[in-house]
Amino acid sequence: MPLVLATWDKPGEVAVAAAAKKVMSGGSVLDALESGLTAAEDDPDLVAIGRGSHPNSDGELELDASVMVGSDLRAGAVCALRGILPAIRVARWVMERTPHVMLAGDQARRFAIEQGLRPQNLMTPTAIKAYERWLTEPDRVEDYVHSVHDTVTMLGREDDGRLFAASSTSGWSFKKPGRVGDSPIVGAGIYADDETGAAGATGWGEELWKACASYRATNLISQGLAPQEACQAVIDHMVRRQPASTARQCVVLALGKDGRFGAAVNKGVFHLWVWNGVTTERIEVVPKTG
Ligand code: SD4
């Protein structure tokens, strides 16, 4: 049976449902990850990724996205992409239609337009209102960044064991223009290698990037750890080596080539959606105690 994982409560639910639908209509798991992230990016009511999410401090949305294929380590990514949806499709096109791994900013936008996407305004009235409120109360930015999960990271496994990872994000609410987090970075926000496993990260991008969280998790799986143990080991390593990372939520999830999966969080509660080819489950992940 195919398997699909998606992060965070509301956007993850939208993403996993769209992914399941794609597979059930004959799509591949790679297509399913693209469909899942596209659905979440496109939903104006989700203050999460893509349309309707929080902009940077200039009031503009800058999107990051990435995808990786575990059979041959192919990868594609875009960062600081403005006015284009779906960012995940552009990341996939970078992988499939160019010899590169990442395109950035205005040149990523130009590539997306050349490939047939139309520039559009991604700000909704609700997002504009949130931005205007932030302009008058910038000190309260922490209220926003802790209450909004602005990333969906997905992992997938085909029936035959092929693994995939993908992520899409608008990054931190009201971030510095040009800031790029872990999500589009291969090894940080995503990693997939059929010989070991697939992994993803979400939460505080700067810290997860410094930890090379996704690659670290798959590397630990290659050393014999179960996916759950590998995720916890990455979080433990971050707590020990990057103690400042405990100030904000950091999550690591992983999927083994045998279909076992796991997730770990450093603080707070995290929700992971899992579709196992038949049913969808919402799993609550809490920090390890003791
Ligand atoms: C970032 N890691 O840009 C992303 C944010 C995130 O839930 O995952 N939020 O830092």
Side-chain angles (χ1 to χ4, degrees):
M1 282 292 182
L3 190 70
V4 172
L5 312 181
T7 62
W8 301 115
D9 210 3
K10 284 189 189 146
E13 183 174 22
V14 169
V16 85
K21 197 167 156 200
K22 188 71 183 177
V23 173
M24 287 189 299
S25 64
S28 66
V29 167
L30 177 59
D31 292 341
L33 300 197
E34 181 185 332
S35 296
L37 294 176
T38 298
E41 283 190 35
D42 212 17
D43 190 330
D45 298 325
L46 282 178
V47 186
I49 64 175
R51 195 189 310 283
S53 53
H54 287 163
N56 64 19
S57 62
D58 281 349
E60 290 181 308
L61 268 161
E62 284 187 341
L63 309 179
D64 303 334
S66 62
V67 60
M68 187 165 188
V69 175
S71 57
D72 55 5
L73 310 189
R74 268 181 306 146
V78 286
C79 65
L81 175 68
R82 285 182 293 143
I84 295 285
L85 277 191
I88 187 59
R89 186 168 307 155
V90 188
R92 186 171 174 183
W93 284 343
V94 172
M95 175 174 79
E96 293 178 344
R97 302 182 183 181
T98 81
H100 309 303
V101 171
M102 179 182 272
L103 292 179
D106 287 347
Q107 308 309 331
R109 174 185 164 100
R110 195 169 94 189
F111 169 71
I113 294 167
E114 277 166 16
Q115 296 297 315
L117 292 178
R118 280 223 317 268
Q120 48 182 312
N121 183 354
L122 304 179
M123 291 291 284
T124 60
T126 311
I128 293 169
K129 214 178 277 172
Y131 176 64
E132 282 168 354
R133 182 172 154 216
W134 172 76
L135 282 177
T136 59
E137 300 177 300
D139 295 343
R140 291 193 54 206
V141 66
E142 292 290 313
D143 294 357
Y144 293 94
V145 295
H146 284 304
S147 60
V148 172
H149 292 299
D150 36 39
T151 302
V152 178
T153 300
M154 299 185 78
L155 305 179
R157 180 181 181 274
E158 287 281 10
D159 216 7
D160 59 10
R162 280 176 299 135
L163 296 169
F164 305 88
S167 187
S168 177
T169 188
S170 54
W172 285 80
S173 303
F174 318 120
K175 64 191 175 186
K176 206 170 181 50
R179 178 268 186 189
V180 175
D182 61 316
S183 310
I185 307 300
V186 170
I190 62 162
Y191 201 72
D193 180 351
D194 288 0
E195 292 189 351
T196 55
T202 179
W204 191 358
E206 280 73 6
E207 295 299 327
L208 290 159
W209 188 345
K210 286 186 263 179
C212 295
S214 296
Y215 179 72
R216 189 179 294 278
T218 61
N219 194 39
L220 289 166
I221 292 172
S222 78
Q223 292 170 31
L225 268 64
Q228 177 62 44
E229 293 167 345
C231 293
Q232 189 59 55
V234 175
I235 293 292
D236 291 347
H237 184 270
M238 289 179 72
V239 170
R240 186 171 68 80
R241 296 286 287 119
Q242 301 158 247
S245 67
T246 55
R248 292 176 180 162
Q249 223 173 4
C250 293
V251 175
V252 181
L253 54 147
L255 170 60
K257 58 183 175 181
D258 58 3
R260 285 186 298 169
F261 61 88
V265 61
N266 63 348
K267 64 188 291 186
V269 177
F270 160 73
H271 291 107
L272 179 69
W273 289 92
V274 181
W275 179 67
N276 64 9
V278 184
T279 54
T280 302
E281 195 185 353
R282 175 179 174 267
I283 296 175
E284 189 165 284
V285 180
V286 296
K288 180 187 78 172
T289 50

